[in-house]
Amino acid sequence: MNMKIKSFLARPFASYIYKAIQKGMTTAVADQEAILKSLLQVGKKTAFGEEHHLGEVKTYEEFRQAVPVRDYEQFAPYIHLIKEGRHNILWQGLPIYLAKTSGTTSGIKYIPITKDSISNHINTARNALLCYMSATGNSAFSNGKMIFLSGSPELERVGGIPTGRLSGIVNHHVPRYLRTNQLPTYETNCIDDWETKLDKIVEETIGQDMTLISGIPPWVQMYFDRLIQLTGKPIKDIFPNFSVLVHGGVNFEPYKARLMDSIGKKIDTIETFPASEGFFAFQVRREEEGLLLNTNSGIFFEFIPAAEIFKENPTRIPLQEVQTGENYALVVSNNAGLWAYSIGDMVRFVSVNPYRLVVTGRIKHFISAFGEHVIGEEVEYSLMKAAQEVGLHITEFTVAPMIQQDNGKSYHEWFVEFESRPADLAAFAGKVDTNLRSKNIYYDDLITGNILQPLQIRSIKKNGFIDYMKSVGKLGGQNKVPRLSNDRKLAGELEKYIE
């Protein structure tokens, strides 16, 4: 028998999980109703539950009336009580962890993870790999080395509760049978400085049989760049058996072409949608668009139509009422003690049988300085379509409004780091502008009506975004550059890095 023992044992388990996931596709609405009921049974005995009379709530409509939608700032008083060591505030007992995340709009956030909710994070990551294994028949990767580019697993204590980055917390729960496959070492993962850590990761992995690599795309690209710089070889020659790239955290498309070019061949990818608040969705079939919503894992989902996001009392709908093609703000209640919590992401369903979605941007990452309400999905589409047409690779980018105070019309200012700058930057900007006008009718009206002038692109010097992230202490880990800002704060900083 040529097949190694791990891949041999994994295949029947992968098939079992895959069949269970497929069955769950048909029972999603019933599963959601059951989850809400079970959440209320526990929640009614908490301080939050007593305050919101959850013991009297019997239906979704009553839940919607009893519990308003909150973002982190509005939820913070409850989290503060937990950090003081108070029990039974949002969920029974105390959380077993607090996931610490640096929100782009809220500063540092502390998200509870309970003994009931930890399995959502661990099992969903496992299920994504097993579904891929069952759907493709590729189980050989489980015999090789796997790298998970993550935050430090070293945890501090806040109110007696172990606290740290989600990826560092999850690191403590890697199954024992995968420990011997996992890289980098625990000691390397504990290094805080990203560049020092990256050098150690390269050192530890360069001679290994790497078969799976997982991480946020821009930081995976940095890892690849270091390897190529050191060896002069593409990744496929450094790691001949590398066959699976697992990614999440940001839209993959802006990074895909350059990553595949660095690898030197096309490999399989698995897209995931994890967050500190829960592991929400993952890719099940590579040939289908969108990620399967995780409807039976302790999370109850609600959705707010994009047009109502900033209303005082927005419309909230359960899963069975969503429609394809509409943008929604994602709202979750879960067995970590989050209740009608707006996570800050917008999603769009591409299928309702089963429920598959794509992430279209952040609620607070948009440009509407002139009433256009341009979102992340639109700018990513516009830039990547133009780049594909002319054969360019984009390293990183962000967009901000430029409001002219005196003479001249205002415009959208794009800060783009190219792998190689286009010969005619103005012509390339024209292509991007045309694409954006086709995606957003309000932006098109502003251009047509001579209220805005077409967008302008500022070329950022090589490694400019890395240098910026380093300057603000956000290099590596789970940190991401916002695609859009409705103000000039980020743009003002990036002006220092223009070519």
Side-chain angles (χ1 to χ4, degrees), residues 1-2 9 31 44 100 115 147 155 161 165 200 252 279 284 302 306 352 367 371 384 388 399 412 464 492:
M1 184 183 295
N2 294 324
L9 293 175
D31 290 339
K44 68 184 181 182
K100 185 178 178 181
K115 61 180 176 60
I147 187 170
L155 305 178
I161 302 167
R165 299 285 184 184
K200 283 294 292 180
F252 187 54
F279 205 133
V284 173
E302 297 177 86
V352 293
I367 297 179
M384 300 324 296
Q388 191 174 23
V399 188
H412 287 187

Side-chain angles (χ1 to χ4, degrees), residues 29-288:
V29 171
D31 290 339
Q32 282 286 281
E33 290 171 351
I35 284 171
L36 178 59
K37 188 175 180 180
S38 67
L39 293 177
L40 291 170
Q41 283 298 110
V42 177
K44 68 184 181 182
K45 300 170 187 174
T46 65
F48 182 94
E50 290 175 7
E51 184 181 320
H52 292 80
H53 307 289
L54 294 186
E56 301 169 20
V57 172
K58 305 299 180 192
T59 65
Y60 169 62
E61 287 71 23
E62 291 173 353
F63 174 73
R64 197 164 49 187
Q65 291 296 317
V67 182
V69 173
R70 290 178 170 91
D71 60 15
Y72 187 80
E73 289 90 340
Q74 295 162 316
F75 227 78
Y78 299 103
I79 303 294
H80 183 71
L81 293 174
I82 292 170
K83 287 165 65 180
E84 289 183 341
R86 300 272 294 275
H87 288 64
N88 304 316
I89 299 300
L90 295 171
W91 198 249
Q92 57 191 0
L94 274 176
I96 58 172
Y97 299 107
L98 290 174
K100 185 178 178 181
T101 175
S102 52
T104 51
T105 54
S106 308
I108 294 176
K109 300 191 291 185
Y110 295 87
I111 305 298
I113 296 175
T114 65
K115 61 180 176 60
D116 295 314
S117 72
I118 187 68
S119 60
N120 161 258
H121 296 279
I122 308 306
N123 292 349
T124 307
R126 177 204 68 188
N127 291 351
L129 291 177
L130 291 173
C131 283
Y132 163 79
M133 193 181 287
S134 184
T136 64
N138 176 15
S139 59
F141 73 86
S142 62
N143 296 318
K145 298 291 186 180
M146 306 179 194
I147 187 170
F148 299 91
L149 296 178
S150 70
S152 172
E154 285 191 318
L155 305 178
E156 58 182 322
R157 286 194 173 264
V158 175
I161 302 167
T163 301
R165 299 285 184 184
L166 174 66
S167 58
I169 290 169
V170 169
N171 194 282
H172 290 273
H173 293 266
V174 172
R176 188 178 300 171
Y177 63 85
L178 285 181
R179 280 287 179 198
T180 54
N181 298 58
Q182 184 189 10
L183 287 170
T185 61
Y186 186 90
E187 292 74 21
T188 294
N189 256 335
C190 290
I191 297 171
D192 283 327
D193 180 74
W194 173 248
E195 292 191 289
T196 305
K197 181 175 184 172
L198 193 55
D199 286 337
K200 283 294 292 180
I201 292 172
V202 168
E203 182 184 315
E204 289 182 2
T205 57
I206 199 163
Q208 299 291 332
D209 180 25
M210 304 304 304
T211 53
L212 179 146
I213 294 171
S214 173
I216 291 181
W219 310 124
V220 173
Q221 185 65 61
M222 279 187 72
Y223 170 57
F224 286 172
D225 289 346
R226 292 285 173 96
L227 287 165
I228 293 167
Q229 185 180 9
L230 189 65
T231 65
K233 299 176 182 177
I235 301 302
K236 70 179 178 65
D237 292 343
I238 303 169
F239 305 134
N241 296 318
F242 172 40
S243 63
V244 186
L245 175 63
V246 182
H247 62 89
V250 296
N251 183 9
F252 187 54
E253 284 304 311
Y255 305 98
K256 182 178 180 180
R258 186 161 176 242
L259 279 165
M260 292 301 166
D261 190 56
S262 297
I263 295 166
K265 67 176 182 179
K266 284 191 175 180
I267 65 163
D268 290 345
T269 60
I270 305 173
E271 185 174 359
T272 60
F273 182 14
S276 298
E277 296 88 351
F279 205 133
F280 302 124
F282 60 94
Q283 186 176 5
V284 173
R285 299 189 185 99
R286 291 180 302 122
E287 66 274 10
E288 293 177 340

Side-chain angles (χ1 to χ4, degrees), residues 386 389-390 392 422-434 455 457:
E389 287 172 359
V390 298
L392 288 175
D424 190 337
L425 189 60
F428 180 75
K431 286 180 178 290
V432 178
D433 194 73
T434 298
L455 65 86
I457 293 179

